[in-house]
């Protein structure tokens, strides 16, 4: 089968990959579409250290082909959106409703793929850049069949991370003032999450002026090409500032833009060794800096919710899919994403 694989030196589309059958508590999914997220490229450039060889991709949707013993919530033929959260479901954190904190959900990559005699790692417990993948049952969430799979694919990362950061982590409330630094795939979902939450003012900041139209479409009330202009719009500062780029100087900017009791939420991913600074004295007015893993999501609940918000016309998905690419055009998809030509490119199989 076809897949996008990184061997530590180069990325290539291969056609001779194999995937094992699902074991107990697992699901085999035929991938229809997968979003190209910056995190996939961060593996290639070393920002996210990961063992190789690895099949990339982690934002996908498709059709269940087979289920392992004990799987009852999905069956062959079901349409599913996939999450990256391979949580155990039985530890104290899972029991508290915090599956993103499950210690089984990160840092334990499996190798369900094989290319010839070589076993191949799975990225983010998902590897959606393959015609078929095996995931834990908890990662497969059934969705209505009337949702296009090319749009549903984006729920599993961009929407869960961006909208989830707003609703689950920051808990943006009606009338709040929100600043979103970076209007890419994650930033646009933060913007629409703030709109859904009822924020009064949503200021999008992105160096690319061409992103203004789509930022406003998703809910931004204002658009700036530099964070330096935010104080003119919000003289006392923001209730919430989301950094969606992953640059330490923008993290500092997010902190500096806060009003009293404000929160800076970090979503962008800088290098693993990156350090950021801030004025300690600026924090004593009950300000907070919040990390956020995967939108503090509960995927079985949240994916189903976002699917229904989409069907009700309140959550935008189709508008995120700027262009679809057959998997063979992976390099063009990467080039277009790097040039800022697409909000989210989607690979199709």
């Amino acid at each position: 089968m076809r897949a996008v694989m990184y061997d530590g030196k180069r990325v290539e589309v291969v056609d001779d990959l194999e995937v094992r059958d699902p074991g107990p508590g697992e699901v085999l999914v035929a991938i229809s579409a997968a979003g190209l997220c910056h995190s996939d490229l961060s593996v290639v450039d070393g920002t996210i250290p990961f063992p190789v060889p690895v099949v990339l991709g982690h934002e996908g949707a498709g059709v269940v082909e087979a289920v392992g013993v004990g799987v009852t919530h999905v069956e062959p033929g079901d349409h599913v959106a996939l999450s990256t959260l391979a949580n155990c479901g039985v530890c104290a954190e899972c029991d508290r409703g915090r599956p993103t904190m499950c210690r089984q959900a990160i840092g334990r990559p499996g190798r369900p793929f094989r290319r010839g005699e070589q076993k191949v790692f799975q990225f983010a417990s998902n590897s959606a850049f393959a015609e078929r993948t095996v995931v834990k049952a908890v990662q497969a969430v059934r969705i209505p069949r009337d949702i296009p799979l090319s749009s549903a694919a984006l729920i599993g990362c961009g929407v869960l991370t961006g909208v989830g950061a707003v609703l689950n982590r920051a808990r943006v409330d009606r009338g709040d003032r929100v600043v979103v630094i970076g209007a890419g795939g994650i930033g646009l979902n933060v913007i629409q999450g703030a709109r859904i939450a009822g924020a009064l003012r949503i200021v999008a900041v992105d160096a690319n002026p061409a992103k203004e139209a789509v930022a406003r479409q998703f809910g931004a009330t204002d658009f700036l090409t530099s964070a330096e202009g935010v104080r003119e719009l919000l003289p006392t500062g923001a209730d919430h500032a989301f950094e969606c780029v992953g640059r330490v100087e923008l993290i500092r900017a997010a902190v500096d833009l806060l009003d009293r009791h404000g929160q800076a939420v970090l979503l962008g991913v800088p290098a693993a060794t990156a350090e950021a600074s801030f004025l300690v004295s600026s924090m004593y007015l009950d300000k907070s800096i919040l990390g956020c893993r995967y939108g503090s999501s509960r995927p079985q609940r949240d994916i189903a919710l976002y699917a229904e918000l989409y069907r009700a016309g309140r959550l935008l998905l189709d508008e995120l899919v700027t262009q679809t690419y057959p998997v063979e055009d992976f390099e063009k998809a990467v080039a277009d994403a790097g040039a800022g030509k697409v909000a989210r490119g989607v690979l199709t199989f």
Side-chain angles (χ1 to χ4, degrees):
M1 68 178 186
R2 293 170 298 166
V4 178
M5 197 176 87
Y6 175 57
D7 64 4
K9 296 181 180 179
R10 62 188 294 262
V11 180
E12 63 176 328
V13 179
V14 302
D15 60 6
D16 56 352
L17 196 75
E18 298 177 1
V19 64
R20 62 171 173 77
D21 293 332
E26 294 182 332
V27 178
L28 176 67
V29 178
I31 298 294
S32 296
L36 176 60
C37 176
H38 191 268
S39 295
D40 300 307
L41 306 181
S42 293
V43 174
V44 178
D45 68 21
T47 301
I48 297 178
F50 206 87
V52 293
V54 59
V55 175
L56 298 174
H58 64 284
E59 186 181 66
V63 180
V64 174
E65 280 202 349
V67 300
V69 174
V71 178
T72 59
H73 74 292
V74 294
E75 60 185 24
D78 282 346
H79 287 201
V80 292
L82 302 183
S83 86
T84 67
L85 204 57
N87 59 296
C88 71
V90 297
C91 69
E93 297 294 348
C94 286
D95 191 52
R96 292 187 182 105
R98 299 192 299 222
T100 57
M101 296 296 103
C102 175
R103 297 183 189 278
Q104 301 294 323
I106 190 170
R108 298 171 181 264
R111 292 193 289 178
F113 304 104
R114 182 181 293 274
R115 190 182 186 204
E117 297 301 315
Q118 185 179 40
K119 289 186 176 181
V120 180
F121 284 100
Q122 184 175 45
F123 178 53
S125 302
N126 190 305
S127 287
F129 291 170
E131 288 189 84
R132 293 172 182 81
T133 191
V134 169
V135 297
K136 291 183 67 172
V138 72
Q139 296 176 251
V141 184
R142 186 168 53 194
I143 58 173
R145 290 175 178 266
D146 59 355
I147 300 180
L149 289 171
S150 59
S151 297
L154 305 187
I155 299 177
C157 177
V159 176
L160 279 179
T161 299
V163 178
V166 173
L167 302 182
N168 301 328
R169 186 67 169 126
R171 298 185 181 274
V172 172
D173 201 358
R174 292 162 296 179
D176 283 353
R177 299 155 300 164
V178 175
V179 173
V180 183
I181 301 176
I186 299 299
L188 289 174
N189 278 297
V190 172
I191 290 169
Q192 72 169 332
R195 169 179 52 79
I196 291 168
L200 180 64
R201 202 81 181 262
I202 305 170
V203 181
V205 180
D206 197 288
N208 184 354
K211 292 186 177 181
E212 179 173 1
V214 68
R216 290 187 181 275
Q217 181 182 20
F218 274 70
T221 59
D222 304 272
F223 184 89
L224 298 170
T225 55
S226 170
E228 294 177 0
V230 171
R231 285 287 181 176
E232 295 181 15
L233 298 174
L234 305 176
T236 62
D239 298 302
H240 312 273
F242 295 84
E243 200 283 336
C244 306
V245 180
R247 288 168 48 186
V248 293
E249 66 272 22
L250 296 179
I251 292 173
R252 171 60 184 269
V255 175
D256 289 345
L257 289 172
L258 297 178
D259 194 2
R260 300 181 180 196
H261 207 272
Q263 300 179 132
V265 184
L266 311 186
L267 296 176
V269 182
T273 57
E275 296 183 0
S277 63
F278 59 91
L279 289 174
V280 176
S281 61
S282 72
M283 303 301 292
Y284 291 122
L285 293 173
D286 286 1
K287 299 179 184 181
S288 304
I289 301 173
L290 305 179
C292 185
R293 170 165 157 71
Y294 204 40
S296 300
S297 297
R298 296 164 64 181
Q300 286 289 336
R301 177 199 66 175
D302 290 350
I303 289 177
L305 169 63
Y306 300 151
E308 290 305 318
L309 286 173
Y310 166 81
R311 298 175 84 197
R314 297 177 61 193
L315 182 84
L316 305 183
L317 289 178
D318 303 339
E319 295 81 358
L320 278 169
V321 184
T322 313
Q323 187 170 338
T324 59
Y325 306 82
V327 67
E328 290 80 8
D329 287 346
F330 175 75
E331 291 186 2
K332 176 172 172 48
V334 172
D336 286 351
K341 294 181 179 179
V342 295
R344 208 58 148 197
V346 173
L347 301 181
T348 58
F349 292 87

